[in-house]
Structures are given as structure tokens and as C-alpha cells.
Amino acid sequence: QLQFVESGGGLVQPGGSLKLACTASGLTLEHYAIGWFRQAPGKEREGVSCIAQALDGTVYVEYVDSVKGRFTISRDNAKRTVYLQMNSLKPEDTATYYCAQRLRTCSGYVPSGTNFGSWGQGTQVTVSS
């Protein structure tokens, strides 16, 4: 059974940093694209970033414009964990962050990852002074 557990959220001041982790079980991580998504109260879920690995081992990453230059996605296949390093956080980054998977490619992670599955419970990120 595929399962994800997100962790690392918390309360941080604007301009601060957090590192989220998405730990997987029940799958061989390198076969899957892993996306990070977020949902703020009253808003629709949105794709934030995605990471995939080609058969030749090449790693591909994608980011939505609102987080480019501030967020960095990475993966550690041995630990079955995907990370999201978030720097220069803004109040508008406040949301519950989720990870999910689809086989091989990041296609469809934006706008909202409707073709991604095995959603975790999420981790809350609050950016406030």
C-alpha cells in the first residue's frame, strides 16, 4: 500500500525558512514523480513543485512561478524521502502542504495534481509575524 507522511511544518516569521519532508512507504521511490501541493483555507489546492527521475537517472524538477528561486525540491531515494526546502517565506505561503505521487512524470502537477494519488495527511505551514 502506497503511503506518504509529511512533516516539518510549523510557524515561521516572514523571511524565514522551513524544510518539509515527505516520507514514502510501499513503493520504489525512483519510479515515481512526487509532487508537493498546498491548500490554504478557502482556496483550491495548487501544485507547488514536483520532482521526477528518468530511467537513465536524470532528475527533473519543476516549480510554479510563485515559489521559483525560494523553494528547492530534492529527493533521497534510499530514505524514500522527498524534501521541500522553503526559504524567504511569505504570508501567502501559509497553507497545509501535501505530497502525492504519480508514475514517472510530473505531468499534471499543475494546477492541482488531480492525476496524483496516495495523498498524505499534510503538514501545516504558517507564515506570520
Side-chain angles (χ1 to χ4, degrees), residues 29-51:
L29 191 63
E30 52 262 42
H31 296 169
Y32 292 85
I34 306 298
W36 278 101
F37 306 85
R38 65 188 180 187
Q39 188 165 20
K43 295 187 177 181
E44 293 187 354
R45 186 179 68 207
E46 63 172 341
V48 174
S49 182
C50 186
I51 187 166

Side-chain angles (χ1 to χ4, degrees), residues 45-65:
R45 186 179 68 207
E46 63 172 341
V48 174
S49 182
C50 186
I51 187 166
Q53 187 169 339
L55 292 173
D56 65 359
T58 303
V59 176
Y60 297 91
V61 298
E62 298 185 25
Y63 302 95
V64 293
D65 287 345

Side-chain angles (χ1 to χ4, degrees), residues 25-108:
S25 60
L27 56 77
T28 302
L29 191 63
E30 52 262 42
H31 296 169
Y32 292 85
I34 306 298
W36 278 101
F37 306 85
R38 65 188 180 187
Q39 188 165 20
K43 295 187 177 181
E44 293 187 354
R45 186 179 68 207
E46 63 172 341
V48 174
S49 182
C50 186
I51 187 166
Q53 187 169 339
L55 292 173
D56 65 359
T58 303
V59 176
Y60 297 91
V61 298
E62 298 185 25
Y63 302 95
V64 293
D65 287 345
S66 60
V67 307
K68 282 181 180 177
R70 301 189 298 123
F71 290 11
T72 303
I73 192 170
S74 61
R75 63 196 292 161
D76 184 332
N77 291 335
K79 294 183 178 180
R80 297 185 177 181
T81 300
V82 173
Y83 302 97
L84 187 69
Q85 176 67 48
M86 307 187 297
N87 299 328
S88 302
L89 283 162
K90 304 176 181 180
E92 51 263 43
D93 295 316
T94 295
T96 302
Y97 283 70
Y98 303 88
C99 58
Q101 59 81 19
R102 75 179 298 269
L103 196 61
R104 283 299 177 196
T105 75
C106 289
S107 175

